[in-house]
Amino acid sequence: MTTSSFPTIQKPDIKEMKVAPNLDYDKVRGNFDWNEMYGELDWLPGGGLNMAYEAIDRHANGRNRDKLAMIWEGKNGEKEQYTFGQMKQLSDRFANVLKSIGIEKGDRVFVFMDRVPELYITIFGILKAGAIAGPLFSAFGPEPVKDRLQDSGAKVLVTQPDLRRKITEIIPELFELQHIIVVNKDNRDPEPILSSDLSYEEEMAKAPPNFDIVETSQYDYSIMHYTSGTTGKPKGAVHRHQAVVQQYATGKWALDLHEDDIYWCTADPGWVTGTSYGMLAPWTNGVTQLIYEGGFRASKWYELIQDYKVTVWYTAPTAIRMLMKAGENIPRRYDMSSLRFLASVGEPLNPEAVVWGQEVFGMPFHDNWWQTETGAILCANYACMDVRPGSMGKPIPGVELGIVDDDFNPVPVGEDGNLAVRPGWPSMYHTYWNNTEMYNSKFKKGWYMTGDNARVDKDGYFWFVGRADDVINTAGHLVGPFEVESALIEHPAVAEAGVIGKPDPIAMEIVKAFVSLKDGYEATDELRRDITRFSREKLSSAVAPREIEFIDSLPKTRSGKIMRRLLKARELGLPEGDTSTLEED
Ligand code: AMP
């Protein structure tokens, strides 16, 4: 998708807007200095910087102490509310829990939980203790959890009884794990926790309610998220406390957050959008946010917007396409008049979806672009700017984006190339855990290479073109083919596996696997079902292949690498391109 035949959506007159946009793009972009933005943060009394302090304590210590920070609705309709003051006290307690079991600055503490309030409190507690928080997507199966806990050397895992049971088999292989803390929210789970585990509720009750935040500097590590690349297992992108300045700034600029907003981000904190924009951006801006534990259901989502009077809504293209599929009649049954700004991230947002927003809600979805490694939004459609449907907007103030060729030289305006960023933006990741070599390989000729292809038009709007590598984007989740192939070949019948992304009208891509069988196995539907079940149990249904095709042998290079590009071309009936490196049969 490079340009769009859809007409530009003009920004409304400021006088017609419910609030004036925070950002005047042309004015700010020209001579912006990040130091000004750093000046809007409070900093620790000792001069350091801590994300939890900026998001929670600075509000709890001031006039927002009794303001609602979190409005929570559980998957069974339970309702809870927390003020900034309560969030401070609870996260202080959890920091004390960590201190009491010997957690120190820089230790990794991982969180494997559904979107319950304790998840958010735990992450802020970890940050206050100076440790590094590693959130894990709760739909993961044992294999991805094991890979991440082993690679990071996590000392503590905070989880829930059902998720704890799901991963029991991998625990003996986690040599550095010292404690498992189990949150049994509202005694939802009737089974007693294992005697070797700690009870979150008991530890919290014992812990003092006040905690002196461990002095962290802006350069200390804060949060790590695992993300998929072309080769090898997912890598832990490590962020620093200073990312908070950009999360705060883009909350103001790209999501246009104002003090009185009720904000809803539908992302899970297992992925970077759920921490950067489901925790840090709204709360550093002192905004009340809705957190919904349940999954997607069109009518429920509209009901939430109506009941909680959501004003700013940040969601993802797959969800928008599912809402579109459910039809316009459903939103008409609800009062959507509280909404004033819609945004989307994670995959290309088709122009039809942008325009659909305008038709159904009276405003377009504002697409923005970023990735795990960038820590915060880098390119966006702003409230103050005309929207070109299909474009991901313009770079945020203080960030330079470029389109470069394969020798890392800029390409002319309007031509496709690699999307690159000039290093040094505040929320830039600082390393891949245990993999400096891979980190270094991302930087070329003064650019950080994003792995995406894009183009820029003469007016400076950026247009996403596609991934430059084999990484699959399914419903906004990046999946590395290698991770799926590794799980598949553990099945006793599988000799080899090659995994590609197959285009899909809703999820953008689905994971498709080509599998060759070992001698003695027959390609039956029953075996296909068994391999599907096996891969779902190991990986999770979000990552496991949706389609499996049996194939006699996989196309490989002479050096033995699976040619996924060829599998994909054959699947889509496209030209096979250069096959000179293809191994002879
Ligand atoms: P993740 O690191 O999991 O957040 O995924 C980041 C990747 O998702 C990017 O490198 C893109 O490939 C894709 N992505 C994110 N936002 C957009 C967008 N607005 N348009 C197109 N692709 C996007």
Side-chain angles (χ1 to χ4, degrees):
M1 193 188 316
T2 51
T3 50
S4 141
S5 51
F6 289 76
T8 298
I9 301 175
Q10 310 278 337
K11 67 168 194 273
D13 197 308
I14 285 206
K15 284 184 243 112
E16 284 167 29
M17 294 181 172
K18 286 188 185 164
V19 289
N22 286 320
L23 178 69
D24 181 339
Y25 186 78
D26 294 329
K27 194 166 143 206
V28 176
R29 167 110 180 131
N31 49 8
F32 175 74
D33 179 355
W34 279 108
N35 283 325
E36 281 167 35
M37 206 37 92
Y38 276 111
E40 291 191 24
L41 300 179
D42 277 6
W43 299 80
L44 292 174
L49 189 66
N50 187 285
M51 284 178 161
Y53 184 81
E54 298 303 326
I56 302 296
D57 291 24
R58 71 165 171 159
H59 304 294
N61 294 342
R63 66 186 167 87
N64 280 336
R65 180 181 177 80
D66 298 323
K67 180 175 178 176
L68 281 184
M70 170 167 33
I71 305 174
W72 178 78
E73 186 168 319
K75 59 183 174 201
N76 304 318
E78 312 94 310
K79 293 184 168 82
E80 291 178 14
Q81 297 191 333
Y82 297 80
T83 61
F84 280 99
Q86 289 166 324
M87 295 279 291
K88 174 185 181 315
Q89 204 200 76
L90 289 163
S91 50
D92 274 1
R93 274 192 200 273
F94 192 72
N96 274 317
V97 171
L98 292 176
K99 189 174 163 190
S100 73
I101 56 174
I103 287 302
E104 291 176 355
K105 194 169 173 176
D107 287 341
R108 274 78 60 214
V109 177
F110 271 57
V111 182
F112 185 41
M113 260 195 259
D114 292 326
R115 287 185 298 277
V116 290
E118 291 76 2
L119 162 67
Y120 299 84
I121 287 156
T122 297
I123 292 181
F124 285 123
I126 296 169
L127 295 170
K128 287 182 173 185
I132 305 172
L136 295 169
F137 186 40
S138 63
F140 276 154
E143 204 65 20
V145 174
K146 182 177 86 180
D147 288 343
R148 287 156 175 79
L149 293 179
Q150 277 182 337
D151 182 68
S152 62
K155 282 193 178 166
V156 177
L157 177 67
V158 188
T159 183
Q160 297 169 199
D162 51 335
L163 301 178
R164 165 74 173 89
R165 280 195 287 274
K166 183 159 86 171
I167 56 163
T168 296
E169 68 189 67
I170 62 158
I171 303 297
E173 293 174 67
L174 304 173
F175 302 119
E176 287 169 80
L177 190 69
Q178 295 171 359
H179 300 281
I180 299 180
I181 303 178
V182 179
V183 178
N184 192 358
K185 181 160 187 59
D186 305 327
N187 285 314
R188 275 183 186 179
D189 203 293
E191 284 187 38
I193 63 162
L194 295 175
S195 55
S196 56
D197 295 348
L198 297 171
S199 152
Y200 175 89
E201 288 75 18
E202 285 174 21
E203 295 302 313
M204 286 290 272
K206 280 191 287 184
N210 292 305
F211 182 81
D212 287 330
I213 293 183
V214 169
E215 186 78 22
T216 44
S217 90
Q218 67 193 90
Y219 307 116
D220 282 326
Y221 291 162
S222 54
I223 297 184
M224 63 194 288
H225 279 283
Y226 278 78
T227 182
S228 298
T230 321
T231 54
K233 298 270 180 142
K235 292 145 202 71
V238 189
H239 288 282
R240 303 187 290 186
H241 280 274
Q242 70 174 26
V244 76
V245 72
Q246 196 171 328
Q247 290 151 352
Y248 165 74
T250 49
K252 272 164 82 114
W253 295 334
L255 302 177
D256 197 38
L257 292 174
H258 286 65
E259 228 191 334
D260 294 333
D261 277 320
I262 306 287
Y263 166 76
W264 184 29
C265 168
T266 58
D268 187 276
W271 309 101
V272 73
T273 306
T275 52
S276 295
Y277 294 93
M279 299 180 70
L280 295 158
W283 284 328
T284 50
N285 278 283
V287 164
T288 303
Q289 80 160 323
L290 167 67
I291 287 160
Y292 176 53
E293 186 193 10
F296 177 85
R297 190 154 56 83
S299 53
K300 180 67 197 174
W301 277 30
Y302 294 130
E303 186 183 291
L304 290 166
I305 293 172
Q306 167 185 275
D307 290 356
Y308 294 104
K309 299 193 170 26
V310 171
T311 57
V312 178
W313 181 26
Y314 192 24
T315 187
T318 293
I320 300 170
R321 288 191 288 265
M322 291 200 289
L323 293 171
M324 289 169 75
K325 198 168 162 220
E328 285 90 69
N329 284 336
I330 310 181
R332 294 207 179 106
R333 281 188 233 135
Y334 297 88
D335 180 2
M336 300 280 102
S337 62
S338 57
L339 286 172
R340 70 164 187 84
F341 191 78
L342 315 178
S344 163
V345 73
E347 313 150 54
L349 183 63
N350 27 329
E352 295 82 356
V354 177
V355 173
W356 185 78
Q358 180 77 28
E359 282 164 9
V360 176
F361 306 107
M363 66 205 86
F365 281 97
H366 295 75
D367 186 21
N368 54 61
W369 179 96
W370 59 294
Q371 55 181 196
T372 304
E373 289 85 346
T374 71
I377 294 170
L378 294 191
C379 189
N381 286 283
Y382 308 93
C384 61
M385 199 171 87
D386 293 348
V387 173
R388 295 193 177 170
S391 160
M392 53 200 196
K394 294 188 181 184
I396 64 163
V399 161
E400 185 190 349
L401 296 183
I403 306 288
V404 300
D405 61 20
D406 290 344
D407 294 322
F408 318 109
N409 297 315
V411 303
V413 163
E415 280 185 20
D416 291 0
N418 301 290
L419 179 63
V421 192
R422 201 63 88 187
W425 69 98
S427 62
M428 183 174 118
Y429 74 135
H430 194 247
T431 190
Y432 289 120
W433 194 258
N434 289 335
N435 205 338
T436 320
E437 205 183 317
M438 175 65 74
Y439 176 79
N440 290 339
S441 76
K442 295 274 182 173
F443 296 87
K444 308 277 187 197
K445 281 202 186 161
W447 292 105
Y448 161 73
M449 303 301 294
T450 67
D452 285 350
N453 288 332
R455 68 163 57 173
V456 59
D457 67 23
K458 64 179 178 20
D459 300 314
Y461 281 81
F462 280 73
W463 301 77
F464 182 81
V465 174
R467 289 285 311 183
D469 55 22
D470 289 339
V471 173
I472 301 161
N473 189 333
T474 178
H477 298 157
L478 290 198
V479 176
F482 178 80
E483 190 182 11
V484 183
E485 290 159 1
S486 310
L488 286 169
I489 56 175
E490 284 183 44
H491 187 284
V494 175
E496 284 180 323
V499 166
I500 61 159
K502 177 179 166 183
D504 181 80
I506 298 286
M508 191 171 107
E509 289 186 304
I510 57 161
V511 178
K512 169 155 188 176
F514 294 86
V515 162
S516 68
L517 296 175
K518 289 188 186 150
D519 286 349
Y521 285 92
E522 223 181 300
T524 61
D525 281 344
E526 198 190 334
L527 181 58
R528 193 196 323 273
R529 277 194 295 275
D530 192 61
I531 298 173
T532 305
R533 194 168 37 239
F534 175 86
S535 59
R536 284 195 183 150
E537 270 166 26
K538 273 205 158 318
L539 296 166
S540 92
S541 49
V543 179
R546 264 244 236 129
E547 274 184 28
I548 295 180
E549 183 174 326
F550 295 121
I551 177 172
D552 288 342
S553 67
L554 292 164
K556 281 192 240 114
T557 60
R558 286 173 220 278
S559 58
K561 273 198 196 135
I562 293 167
M563 292 183 77
R564 300 184 189 113
R565 178 178 61 74
L566 214 55
L567 284 171
K568 191 156 181 169
R570 289 177 183 171
E571 171 71 26
L572 303 181
L574 296 173
E576 295 194 352
D578 179 6
T579 51
S580 57
T581 57
L582 184 65
E583 181 191 53
E584 318 263 312
D585 271 344

